[in-house]
Amino acid sequence: MLVRILVLLYLAGAPALAQTLCQPNASNGYRVRISIKTALGNQAYEWNENEMFLFRATMAFAMRRCYKTETYNVDNIIVCNQTLRVSFWFVVTSPENSTMLIPKADVEKAVSMSRHRINNAFLLTDRTLEFLGIHPTLAEPVNPDTPPWLIVFGVVIGAVFAGIIALLVSSLLQKRRKEKGMMEDGQDEEDMQVKGVENGNVLDGIYNRGFTDDDRFTKL
Amino acid sequence: MTLLQLPNPGLEDRILSHEELDKLETEEAGRGDRPKWDNKTQYMLTCVGFCVGLGNVWRFPYLCQSHGGGAFMIPFLILLVLEGVPLLHLEFAIGQRLRKGSLGVWSTIHPYLAGVGIASMFVSLMISLYYNTIMAWVMWYLFNSFQETLPWSQCPLNYNLTGLVSECEQSSPVDYFWYRETLNTTPDIGANGGLQWWMVLCLVSAWAVLYICIIRGIETTGKAVYVTSTLPYVVLSIFLIRGLTLKGSLSGVVFLFTPNLTELTNPTTWLDAGAQVFYSFSIAFGGLISFSSYNSVHNNCEQDAVIISAVNGFTSVYAATVIYTIIGFRATERFDNCLGGNILALLNTFDLPEGNVTESNYDQVLQSLNGTYPEVIQGLNLKTCDLNTFLSEGVEGTGLAFIVFTEAITKMPASPVWSVLFFIMLFCLGLSSMFGNIEGVLVPLQDLGVFPKSWPKESTTGITCVLCCIVGLIFVQGSGNYWLSLFDSFAGSIPLLIIAFCEMVGVVYLYGIDRFNDDIEFMIGHKPNFFWQITWRFLSPAIMLVIFVFYFITKVTETLLYKTWNPESENFPTLEEKPYPAWIYVIIFILAGIPSLAVPGTALFRCLRRKRSRKSEQQELKTVCNQMDVNDKAQDGESRT
């Protein structure tokens, strides 16, 4: 009989006890704010008791993952003050002693560690599933060995310098060809000059190297 | 109808007559003395490329929007017709007739006018120096666009990896990337901050690309303009199509073109329109005169001037439309974010379910909540979100391209593609303008005989590019941005107005408007009609004079301030305005004063030199006469005895 009364009292009192443990602005509690419509738009799901159960189960999972020695259960996560915004407070009780709350810092550590998993369970992000007071973890910056702009710069400048050298070389070759062409024209004119001199025509201007040796002899 | 003709002896001796020009035309053109365009398309594309530049993209939309939107078209078009087209026709015709670069043309018209050519060269040189630095900035952004996440889309983490860099957090990722990672700007112009090595590399690459395009003069430039002059139009069209499909773009276009006719009564509107037409046409640089001197004598320069003016005007309006679709998109994004932030604050504070407060009922809900909980609402510090404020955050110049537009691009899907396209377009616009600027520097240098004639063209262009690159290192220091805006405000404004005024006066009154009319009749087959006569003789010089006087007065009377990026200042991230230090005034005098004074200075110099040489000639003549006298007397004496 007494046992039954005690059991009844316990069953009646436990939720009440749980309620006193979980209060808004509790020193060891966190406030959670969820924005499903912002995150998912048309594909938003309804927030109901089942979703709340998933939340409590996910939090228990996070606590287990962080503190591997202790086995947390859904009962250890107490939720209260749910609003239409979808925001609520939660506290975590210790699995050994249900009246003892896990300190804020430990809860924060567990949440930070499994933040990604918690977000994914609800198809939300750090911004739409907010733990007020726990800052989102910053992504590690990706630092490539060579900055990408340097690679593009190298390609461009290489192409440009190759082009400049090609143009300079081609203009040099053109010049040499012109000079060669003029020399060959000069030899043709020499032949013509031989004929031309016989006819009495004088072509001007090209030094006729064919007669250089004779000049030396004519000094006598 | 010769109203006024200043005496100009010896003009006939200095210019080729019409018969000589025809002879030059029919003789073998393969002389290699003067370069020639391969075809008319190259010439038109080069001129269009020179005129259409960065100003069409980032100055005109701002002016349009800040001076009454659609109503700005009225002064712009009127001044385009009365000021732009006549000046352009004048430069084309005189270049085609006298077949020389700017220095040669003005020396030919009158030796005392050589100062105009020298001033043109000086201005072109100053502008080339800083314009290519803008090209270097564009290249830097282009190189950085080949990444999946654009570097200006998010703030970098600070040293401890605990949070974002504070300078970036206080301003914005695009501001931080521009002022810190690109420019690494110092807080004022006196602190030079040293050379920024990444910018030096980009400057070298900008000058290298320019060199390869101008290496053989118009032979290579003519090929390059097929790409650089046409690609911007392609990219603008792509952006227009993309822009129109974005949310909020039409509000931007509507905002741009909504006319506000009361602005027409404001004289600054007309002044700004006149200045924009003038600078947009790249007149008085000397490049257009050079380009048209490579044409055949009977090319229809009147038609060219009208076509190019029309293309320039159309491009300004088209570019403004495209820019404002993107700005409308960005403003709408900002507005949505602002409103979204306010709505979220309300939802969070009052624990209302999501979707209760939307954009449509925001005002009602706010009012009712304000009635019941006024203190709470006050404590929230809600921002006022007004779309028009965001739209009229009119930015111009480098701010538009490197801050506003890059931010808008980060919000578009597939941002790297759009970023690459945008910066390639800016690069082509700037490069084709640089061709004209450099032409205005190289041809006078050749005419002055600075380089020996035997040197090949490749080496003269190479040396000029290398020297300009070295001097341009001023602009890639920490304080380079401030130097650039200094050069932009003073080197490229007042001297050009003076040069253009002297050009008109020189052609109309020194060369002779009658002779000019005959020349044009010879070249294109008919005399210029009444419109050209009126604008050349009175209207355009008068407009130039008015703009010059007002510009001069505003520049001289205003206290010179410049905007600096100072993370230590109180109003950071707003730019802090500081006065220029005293020694800057010397620099300003050099930039604006020397080209302007070159015009009367050279005239005076030549006048004095001529007087001195006349005196010595007269003395020589006297001695020769004396000698002849003595000889005659001696002969007479001999004959008598």
mmCIF file of all heavy atoms in Angstrom, chain A residues 31 33 35-38 84-85 87 138-139 141 148-149 152-153 157 164 167 170-171, chain B residues 140 143-144 147 157 162 198 201 205 208 211 215-216 347-348 351-354 458:
data_model
loop_
_atom_site.group_PDB
_atom_site.id
_atom_site.type_symbol
_atom_site.label_atom_id
_atom_site.label_comp_id
_atom_site.label_asym_id
_atom_site.label_seq_id
_atom_site.Cartn_x
_atom_site.Cartn_y
_atom_site.Cartn_z
ATOM 1 N N ARG A 31 18.439 27.426 -24.959
ATOM 2 C CA ARG A 31 17.241 27.681 -25.740
ATOM 3 C C ARG A 31 17.527 27.307 -27.192
ATOM 4 O O ARG A 31 18.583 27.642 -27.734
ATOM 5 C CB ARG A 31 16.870 29.152 -25.647
ATOM 6 C CG ARG A 31 15.537 29.399 -26.291
ATOM 7 C CD ARG A 31 15.001 30.746 -25.940
ATOM 8 N NE ARG A 31 13.710 30.930 -26.608
ATOM 9 C CZ ARG A 31 13.249 32.091 -26.981
ATOM 10 N NH1 ARG A 31 13.964 33.169 -26.779
ATOM 11 N NH2 ARG A 31 12.077 32.175 -27.560
ATOM 12 N N ARG A 33 16.035 27.384 -31.144
ATOM 13 C CA ARG A 33 15.084 28.058 -32.040
ATOM 14 C C ARG A 33 15.182 27.415 -33.407
ATOM 15 O O ARG A 33 16.278 27.295 -33.959
ATOM 16 C CB ARG A 33 15.405 29.537 -32.133
ATOM 17 C CG ARG A 33 14.315 30.340 -32.796
ATOM 18 C CD ARG A 33 14.278 31.748 -32.269
ATOM 19 N NE ARG A 33 15.512 32.430 -32.561
ATOM 20 C CZ ARG A 33 15.965 33.484 -31.894
ATOM 21 N NH1 ARG A 33 15.302 33.957 -30.870
ATOM 22 N NH2 ARG A 33 17.095 34.048 -32.218
ATOM 23 N N SER A 35 13.767 27.212 -37.435
ATOM 24 C CA SER A 35 13.062 27.920 -38.507
ATOM 25 C C SER A 35 12.954 26.995 -39.700
ATOM 26 O O SER A 35 13.776 27.027 -40.607
ATOM 27 C CB SER A 35 13.836 29.172 -38.909
ATOM 28 O OG SER A 35 14.342 29.830 -37.781
ATOM 29 N N ILE A 36 11.915 26.180 -39.693
ATOM 30 C CA ILE A 36 11.817 25.159 -40.748
ATOM 31 C C ILE A 36 11.412 25.787 -42.065
ATOM 32 O O ILE A 36 11.951 25.460 -43.112
ATOM 33 C CB ILE A 36 10.792 24.080 -40.352
ATOM 34 C CG1 ILE A 36 11.098 23.566 -38.952
ATOM 35 C CG2 ILE A 36 10.816 22.957 -41.357
ATOM 36 C CD1 ILE A 36 10.079 22.600 -38.459
ATOM 37 N N LYS A 37 10.452 26.696 -42.024
ATOM 38 C CA LYS A 37 9.943 27.265 -43.282
ATOM 39 C C LYS A 37 11.028 28.047 -43.998
ATOM 40 O O LYS A 37 11.124 28.035 -45.225
ATOM 41 C CB LYS A 37 8.736 28.165 -43.000
ATOM 42 C CG LYS A 37 7.493 27.415 -42.630
ATOM 43 C CD LYS A 37 6.228 28.146 -43.057
ATOM 44 C CE LYS A 37 5.005 27.364 -42.606
ATOM 45 N NZ LYS A 37 4.366 27.927 -41.414
ATOM 46 N N THR A 38 11.881 28.763 -43.209
ATOM 47 C CA THR A 38 12.964 29.519 -43.845
ATOM 48 C C THR A 38 13.924 28.584 -44.557
ATOM 49 O O THR A 38 14.427 28.871 -45.624
ATOM 50 C CB THR A 38 13.753 30.295 -42.768
ATOM 51 O OG1 THR A 38 12.842 30.831 -41.843
ATOM 52 C CG2 THR A 38 14.592 31.373 -43.385
ATOM 53 N N LEU A 84 5.065 28.784 -30.363
ATOM 54 C CA LEU A 84 4.636 28.609 -31.749
ATOM 55 C C LEU A 84 5.727 28.969 -32.737
ATOM 56 O O LEU A 84 5.684 28.535 -33.903
ATOM 57 C CB LEU A 84 3.417 29.501 -32.040
ATOM 58 C CG LEU A 84 2.112 29.033 -31.423
ATOM 59 C CD1 LEU A 84 1.046 30.100 -31.650
ATOM 60 C CD2 LEU A 84 1.655 27.726 -32.057
ATOM 61 N N ARG A 85 6.709 29.752 -32.264
ATOM 62 C CA ARG A 85 7.806 30.166 -33.125
ATOM 63 C C ARG A 85 8.533 28.968 -33.682
ATOM 64 O O ARG A 85 9.169 29.016 -34.713
ATOM 65 C CB ARG A 85 8.745 31.064 -32.309
ATOM 66 C CG ARG A 85 10.069 31.426 -32.930
ATOM 67 C CD ARG A 85 9.901 32.349 -34.120
ATOM 68 N NE ARG A 85 11.191 32.693 -34.708
ATOM 69 C CZ ARG A 85 11.855 31.930 -35.536
ATOM 70 N NH1 ARG A 85 11.373 30.762 -35.902
ATOM 71 N NH2 ARG A 85 13.022 32.310 -35.997
ATOM 72 N N SER A 87 10.303 27.435 -30.638
ATOM 73 C CA SER A 87 11.502 27.554 -29.797
ATOM 74 C C SER A 87 11.163 26.934 -28.458
ATOM 75 O O SER A 87 10.010 26.932 -28.037
ATOM 76 C CB SER A 87 11.892 29.022 -29.626
ATOM 77 O OG SER A 87 10.983 29.672 -28.781
ATOM 78 N N LEU A 138 33.207 27.398 -37.289
ATOM 79 C CA LEU A 138 33.627 28.004 -38.555
ATOM 80 C C LEU A 138 34.317 26.973 -39.415
ATOM 81 O O LEU A 138 35.086 26.164 -38.926
ATOM 82 C CB LEU A 138 34.572 29.168 -38.271
ATOM 83 C CG LEU A 138 33.948 30.278 -37.436
ATOM 84 C CD1 LEU A 138 35.025 31.180 -36.884
ATOM 85 C CD2 LEU A 138 32.971 31.061 -38.265
ATOM 86 N N ALA A 139 34.026 27.054 -40.711
ATOM 87 C CA ALA A 139 34.637 26.082 -41.628
ATOM 88 C C ALA A 139 36.121 26.348 -41.756
ATOM 89 O O ALA A 139 36.550 27.491 -41.788
ATOM 90 C CB ALA A 139 33.957 26.188 -42.985
ATOM 91 N N PRO A 141 39.363 27.075 -43.556
ATOM 92 C CA PRO A 141 39.605 27.619 -44.898
ATOM 93 C C PRO A 141 40.465 26.675 -45.718
ATOM 94 O O PRO A 141 41.392 26.072 -45.202
ATOM 95 C CB PRO A 141 40.347 28.930 -44.625
ATOM 96 C CG PRO A 141 40.967 28.742 -43.290
ATOM 97 C CD PRO A 141 40.120 27.788 -42.524
ATOM 98 N N PRO A 148 45.339 30.225 -56.853
ATOM 99 C CA PRO A 148 44.887 29.963 -58.229
ATOM 100 C C PRO A 148 45.188 31.110 -59.178
ATOM 101 O O PRO A 148 45.428 30.885 -60.361
ATOM 102 C CB PRO A 148 43.375 29.747 -58.100
ATOM 103 C CG PRO A 148 43.074 29.757 -56.663
ATOM 104 C CD PRO A 148 44.263 30.097 -55.876
ATOM 105 N N TRP A 149 45.186 32.357 -58.640
ATOM 106 C CA TRP A 149 45.388 33.476 -59.545
ATOM 107 C C TRP A 149 46.783 33.466 -60.134
ATOM 108 O O TRP A 149 46.999 33.907 -61.261
ATOM 109 C CB TRP A 149 45.109 34.804 -58.830
ATOM 110 C CG TRP A 149 46.133 35.246 -57.852
ATOM 111 C CD1 TRP A 149 46.145 35.014 -56.510
ATOM 112 C CD2 TRP A 149 47.310 36.019 -58.114
ATOM 113 N NE1 TRP A 149 47.248 35.588 -55.939
ATOM 114 C CE2 TRP A 149 47.982 36.211 -56.890
ATOM 115 C CE3 TRP A 149 47.867 36.564 -59.263
ATOM 116 C CZ2 TRP A 149 49.174 36.915 -56.780
ATOM 117 C CZ3 TRP A 149 49.067 37.276 -59.164
ATOM 118 C CH2 TRP A 149 49.700 37.433 -57.938
ATOM 119 N N VAL A 152 46.803 31.271 -63.250
ATOM 120 C CA VAL A 152 46.231 31.930 -64.423
ATOM 121 C C VAL A 152 47.184 32.997 -64.941
ATOM 122 O O VAL A 152 47.402 33.138 -66.142
ATOM 123 C CB VAL A 152 44.867 32.574 -64.076
ATOM 124 C CG1 VAL A 152 44.250 33.197 -65.300
ATOM 125 C CG2 VAL A 152 43.947 31.556 -63.467
ATOM 126 N N PHE A 153 47.784 33.756 -64.009
ATOM 127 C CA PHE A 153 48.743 34.786 -64.393
ATOM 128 C C PHE A 153 49.891 34.174 -65.178
ATOM 129 O O PHE A 153 50.304 34.707 -66.216
ATOM 130 C CB PHE A 153 49.264 35.484 -63.129
ATOM 131 C CG PHE A 153 50.511 36.289 -63.348
ATOM 132 C CD1 PHE A 153 50.450 37.510 -63.975
ATOM 133 C CD2 PHE A 153 51.752 35.815 -62.951
ATOM 134 C CE1 PHE A 153 51.594 38.261 -64.185
ATOM 135 C CE2 PHE A 153 52.897 36.553 -63.159
ATOM 136 C CZ PHE A 153 52.818 37.774 -63.776
ATOM 137 N N ILE A 157 50.797 35.309 -68.956
ATOM 138 C CA ILE A 157 52.049 36.003 -69.237
ATOM 139 C C ILE A 157 52.943 35.149 -70.119
ATOM 140 O O ILE A 157 53.663 35.657 -70.990
ATOM 141 C CB ILE A 157 52.748 36.428 -67.920
ATOM 142 C CG1 ILE A 157 53.659 37.610 -68.186
ATOM 143 C CG2 ILE A 157 53.541 35.340 -67.293
ATOM 144 C CD1 ILE A 157 53.067 38.899 -67.821
ATOM 145 N N ILE A 164 55.072 37.730 -78.172
ATOM 146 C CA ILE A 164 55.973 38.856 -78.450
ATOM 147 C C ILE A 164 57.236 38.345 -79.123
ATOM 148 O O ILE A 164 57.696 38.894 -80.138
ATOM 149 C CB ILE A 164 56.321 39.609 -77.144
ATOM 150 C CG1 ILE A 164 55.100 40.358 -76.622
ATOM 151 C CG2 ILE A 164 57.458 40.577 -77.368
ATOM 152 C CD1 ILE A 164 55.315 41.030 -75.307
ATOM 153 N N LEU A 167 56.582 37.365 -82.719
ATOM 154 C CA LEU A 167 56.450 38.510 -83.621
ATOM 155 C C LEU A 167 57.794 39.158 -83.893
ATOM 156 O O LEU A 167 58.098 39.529 -85.032
ATOM 157 C CB LEU A 167 55.491 39.539 -83.018
ATOM 158 C CG LEU A 167 53.999 39.216 -83.161
ATOM 159 C CD1 LEU A 167 53.185 40.202 -82.380
ATOM 160 C CD2 LEU A 167 53.588 39.242 -84.615
ATOM 161 N N SER A 170 59.761 36.936 -86.206
ATOM 162 C CA SER A 170 59.238 36.949 -87.577
ATOM 163 C C SER A 170 59.599 38.242 -88.274
ATOM 164 O O SER A 170 59.895 38.245 -89.472
ATOM 165 C CB SER A 170 57.732 36.736 -87.580
ATOM 166 O OG SER A 170 57.062 37.932 -87.307
ATOM 167 N N SER A 171 59.616 39.375 -87.539
ATOM 168 C CA SER A 171 59.976 40.616 -88.223
ATOM 169 C C SER A 171 61.466 40.640 -88.539
ATOM 170 O O SER A 171 61.877 41.164 -89.576
ATOM 171 C CB SER A 171 59.571 41.838 -87.406
ATOM 172 O OG SER A 171 60.218 41.842 -86.166
ATOM 173 N N TRP B 140 43.803 41.603 -62.251
ATOM 174 C CA TRP B 140 43.882 40.933 -60.943
ATOM 175 C C TRP B 140 42.554 40.256 -60.618
ATOM 176 O O TRP B 140 42.527 39.085 -60.204
ATOM 177 C CB TRP B 140 44.253 41.963 -59.873
ATOM 178 C CG TRP B 140 44.004 41.562 -58.474
ATOM 179 C CD1 TRP B 140 42.992 41.982 -57.662
ATOM 180 C CD2 TRP B 140 44.789 40.667 -57.673
ATOM 181 N NE1 TRP B 140 43.082 41.404 -56.415
ATOM 182 C CE2 TRP B 140 44.187 40.590 -56.397
ATOM 183 C CE3 TRP B 140 45.931 39.914 -57.910
ATOM 184 C CZ2 TRP B 140 44.680 39.812 -55.371
ATOM 185 C CZ3 TRP B 140 46.426 39.142 -56.873
ATOM 186 C CH2 TRP B 140 45.805 39.095 -55.628
ATOM 187 N N PHE B 143 42.084 37.267 -62.923
ATOM 188 C CA PHE B 143 42.847 36.088 -62.508
ATOM 189 C C PHE B 143 42.198 35.415 -61.312
ATOM 190 O O PHE B 143 42.223 34.192 -61.171
ATOM 191 C CB PHE B 143 44.286 36.461 -62.147
ATOM 192 C CG PHE B 143 45.116 36.954 -63.297
ATOM 193 C CD1 PHE B 143 46.197 37.789 -63.081
ATOM 194 C CD2 PHE B 143 44.828 36.594 -64.604
ATOM 195 C CE1 PHE B 143 46.968 38.252 -64.137
ATOM 196 C CE2 PHE B 143 45.594 37.047 -65.655
ATOM 197 C CZ PHE B 143 46.675 37.881 -65.409
ATOM 198 N N ASN B 144 41.630 36.233 -60.421
ATOM 199 C CA ASN B 144 41.041 35.664 -59.211
ATOM 200 C C ASN B 144 39.655 35.088 -59.438
ATOM 201 O O ASN B 144 39.069 34.544 -58.509
ATOM 202 C CB ASN B 144 40.950 36.729 -58.117
ATOM 203 C CG ASN B 144 42.205 36.786 -57.286
ATOM 204 O OD1 ASN B 144 42.548 35.827 -56.606
ATOM 205 N ND2 ASN B 144 42.908 37.877 -57.359
ATOM 206 N N GLN B 147 38.061 30.622 -59.725
ATOM 207 C CA GLN B 147 37.964 29.786 -58.527
ATOM 208 C C GLN B 147 36.498 29.496 -58.295
ATOM 209 O O GLN B 147 35.652 30.281 -58.659
ATOM 210 C CB GLN B 147 38.466 30.531 -57.298
ATOM 211 C CG GLN B 147 39.920 30.858 -57.318
ATOM 212 C CD GLN B 147 40.284 31.709 -56.135
ATOM 213 O OE1 GLN B 147 39.893 31.428 -55.011
ATOM 214 N NE2 GLN B 147 41.024 32.761 -56.383
ATOM 215 N N LEU B 157 39.171 34.038 -42.342
ATOM 216 C CA LEU B 157 39.249 33.868 -40.893
ATOM 217 C C LEU B 157 40.480 34.576 -40.377
ATOM 218 O O LEU B 157 41.464 34.705 -41.106
ATOM 219 C CB LEU B 157 39.326 32.376 -40.543
ATOM 220 C CG LEU B 157 38.110 31.564 -40.947
ATOM 221 C CD1 LEU B 157 38.350 30.104 -40.655
ATOM 222 C CD2 LEU B 157 36.892 32.057 -40.215
ATOM 223 N N THR B 162 39.486 31.954 -34.779
ATOM 224 C CA THR B 162 38.333 32.010 -33.887
ATOM 225 C C THR B 162 37.182 32.778 -34.507
ATOM 226 O O THR B 162 36.042 32.614 -34.134
ATOM 227 C CB THR B 162 38.688 32.702 -32.559
ATOM 228 O OG1 THR B 162 39.281 33.973 -32.902
ATOM 229 C CG2 THR B 162 39.669 31.898 -31.758
ATOM 230 N N TRP B 198 51.965 41.697 -55.915
ATOM 231 C CA TRP B 198 50.996 41.057 -56.793
ATOM 232 C C TRP B 198 50.467 42.062 -57.812
ATOM 233 O O TRP B 198 50.165 41.702 -58.941
ATOM 234 C CB TRP B 198 49.849 40.446 -55.972
ATOM 235 C CG TRP B 198 49.130 41.398 -55.089
ATOM 236 C CD1 TRP B 198 47.998 42.084 -55.365
ATOM 237 C CD2 TRP B 198 49.488 41.786 -53.755
ATOM 238 N NE1 TRP B 198 47.628 42.875 -54.314
ATOM 239 C CE2 TRP B 198 48.531 42.710 -53.304
ATOM 240 C CE3 TRP B 198 50.534 41.455 -52.892
ATOM 241 C CZ2 TRP B 198 48.570 43.289 -52.046
ATOM 242 C CZ3 TRP B 198 50.580 42.037 -51.626
ATOM 243 C CH2 TRP B 198 49.599 42.943 -51.225
ATOM 244 N N LEU B 201 53.026 42.498 -60.593
ATOM 245 C CA LEU B 201 52.908 41.442 -61.596
ATOM 246 C C LEU B 201 51.758 41.740 -62.555
ATOM 247 O O LEU B 201 51.884 41.583 -63.777
ATOM 248 C CB LEU B 201 52.663 40.092 -60.921
ATOM 249 C CG LEU B 201 53.840 39.485 -60.159
ATOM 250 C CD1 LEU B 201 53.433 38.139 -59.587
ATOM 251 C CD2 LEU B 201 55.036 39.309 -61.065
ATOM 252 N N SER B 205 51.850 42.478 -66.589
ATOM 253 C CA SER B 205 51.078 41.714 -67.570
ATOM 254 C C SER B 205 50.197 42.635 -68.394
ATOM 255 O O SER B 205 50.022 42.429 -69.601
ATOM 256 C CB SER B 205 50.263 40.618 -66.896
ATOM 257 O OG SER B 205 49.393 41.160 -65.958
ATOM 258 N N ALA B 208 52.389 44.178 -70.923
ATOM 259 C CA ALA B 208 52.824 43.179 -71.899
ATOM 260 C C ALA B 208 51.734 42.917 -72.920
ATOM 261 O O ALA B 208 51.990 42.843 -74.128
ATOM 262 C CB ALA B 208 53.204 41.879 -71.185
ATOM 263 N N TYR B 211 51.591 45.806 -75.225
ATOM 264 C CA TYR B 211 52.730 45.830 -76.138
ATOM 265 C C TYR B 211 52.527 44.891 -77.301
ATOM 266 O O TYR B 211 52.783 45.242 -78.458
ATOM 267 C CB TYR B 211 54.020 45.481 -75.388
ATOM 268 C CG TYR B 211 55.240 45.428 -76.264
ATOM 269 C CD1 TYR B 211 55.587 46.506 -77.075
ATOM 270 C CD2 TYR B 211 56.050 44.299 -76.307
ATOM 271 C CE1 TYR B 211 56.700 46.466 -77.887
ATOM 272 C CE2 TYR B 211 57.166 44.255 -77.115
ATOM 273 C CZ TYR B 211 57.490 45.332 -77.904
ATOM 274 O OH TYR B 211 58.598 45.281 -78.710
ATOM 275 N N ILE B 215 52.632 46.299 -81.129
ATOM 276 C CA ILE B 215 54.057 46.105 -81.428
ATOM 277 C C ILE B 215 54.425 46.605 -82.819
ATOM 278 O O ILE B 215 55.500 47.143 -83.019
ATOM 279 C CB ILE B 215 54.413 44.616 -81.241
ATOM 280 C CG1 ILE B 215 55.908 44.409 -81.291
ATOM 281 C CG2 ILE B 215 53.719 43.736 -82.243
ATOM 282 C CD1 ILE B 215 56.321 43.032 -80.831
ATOM 283 N N ARG B 216 53.510 46.470 -83.783
ATOM 284 C CA ARG B 216 53.852 46.963 -85.120
ATOM 285 C C ARG B 216 52.911 48.076 -85.541
ATOM 286 O O ARG B 216 52.626 48.237 -86.723
ATOM 287 C CB ARG B 216 53.743 45.819 -86.132
ATOM 288 C CG ARG B 216 54.895 44.857 -86.033
ATOM 289 C CD ARG B 216 54.941 43.962 -87.242
ATOM 290 N NE ARG B 216 55.698 42.769 -86.960
ATOM 291 C CZ ARG B 216 55.460 41.582 -87.500
ATOM 292 N NH1 ARG B 216 54.462 41.444 -88.335
ATOM 293 N NH2 ARG B 216 56.201 40.554 -87.204
ATOM 294 N N LEU B 347 9.774 38.060 -35.188
ATOM 295 C CA LEU B 347 9.353 36.693 -34.886
ATOM 296 C C LEU B 347 10.048 36.170 -33.638
ATOM 297 O O LEU B 347 9.432 35.533 -32.786
ATOM 298 C CB LEU B 347 9.677 35.764 -36.061
ATOM 299 C CG LEU B 347 8.861 35.912 -37.328
ATOM 300 C CD1 LEU B 347 9.375 34.944 -38.379
ATOM 301 C CD2 LEU B 347 7.401 35.660 -37.070
ATOM 302 N N ASN B 348 11.347 36.444 -33.565
ATOM 303 C CA ASN B 348 12.106 35.907 -32.440
ATOM 304 C C ASN B 348 11.696 36.555 -31.135
ATOM 305 O O ASN B 348 11.617 35.899 -30.105
ATOM 306 C CB ASN B 348 13.606 36.110 -32.666
ATOM 307 C CG ASN B 348 14.135 35.193 -33.735
ATOM 308 O OD1 ASN B 348 13.455 34.274 -34.146
ATOM 309 N ND2 ASN B 348 15.349 35.445 -34.181
ATOM 310 N N ASP B 351 7.988 35.525 -30.415
ATOM 311 C CA ASP B 351 7.718 34.086 -30.532
ATOM 312 C C ASP B 351 6.510 33.806 -31.403
ATOM 313 O O ASP B 351 5.649 32.983 -31.075
ATOM 314 C CB ASP B 351 7.518 33.447 -29.146
ATOM 315 C CG ASP B 351 8.863 33.154 -28.505
ATOM 316 O OD1 ASP B 351 9.801 32.824 -29.268
ATOM 317 O OD2 ASP B 351 8.982 33.259 -27.279
ATOM 318 N N LEU B 352 6.412 34.488 -32.506
ATOM 319 C CA LEU B 352 5.306 34.235 -33.418
ATOM 320 C C LEU B 352 5.690 33.116 -34.364
ATOM 321 O O LEU B 352 6.865 32.954 -34.674
ATOM 322 C CB LEU B 352 5.007 35.492 -34.243
ATOM 323 C CG LEU B 352 4.765 36.757 -33.429
ATOM 324 C CD1 LEU B 352 4.828 37.968 -34.340
ATOM 325 C CD2 LEU B 352 3.415 36.659 -32.729
ATOM 326 N N PRO B 353 4.715 32.334 -34.826
ATOM 327 C CA PRO B 353 5.079 31.264 -35.768
ATOM 328 C C PRO B 353 5.581 31.846 -37.080
ATOM 329 O O PRO B 353 5.216 32.954 -37.463
ATOM 330 C CB PRO B 353 3.761 30.497 -35.956
ATOM 331 C CG PRO B 353 2.700 31.390 -35.456
ATOM 332 C CD PRO B 353 3.295 32.325 -34.489
ATOM 333 N N GLU B 354 6.412 31.043 -37.737
ATOM 334 C CA GLU B 354 6.967 31.496 -39.005
ATOM 335 C C GLU B 354 5.857 31.701 -40.008
ATOM 336 O O GLU B 354 4.887 30.976 -40.031
ATOM 337 C CB GLU B 354 7.901 30.435 -39.580
ATOM 338 C CG GLU B 354 9.242 30.392 -38.927
ATOM 339 C CD GLU B 354 10.095 29.330 -39.583
ATOM 340 O OE1 GLU B 354 9.822 28.142 -39.352
ATOM 341 O OE2 GLU B 354 10.991 29.681 -40.344
ATOM 342 N N GLU B 458 59.178 48.133 -83.556
ATOM 343 C CA GLU B 458 59.040 47.286 -82.370
ATOM 344 C C GLU B 458 59.831 47.833 -81.192
ATOM 345 O O GLU B 458 59.392 47.766 -80.042
ATOM 346 C CB GLU B 458 59.539 45.858 -82.674
ATOM 347 C CG GLU B 458 58.647 45.046 -83.575
ATOM 348 C CD GLU B 458 58.977 45.234 -85.034
ATOM 349 O OE1 GLU B 458 59.708 46.176 -85.356
ATOM 350 O OE2 GLU B 458 58.512 44.432 -85.854
#
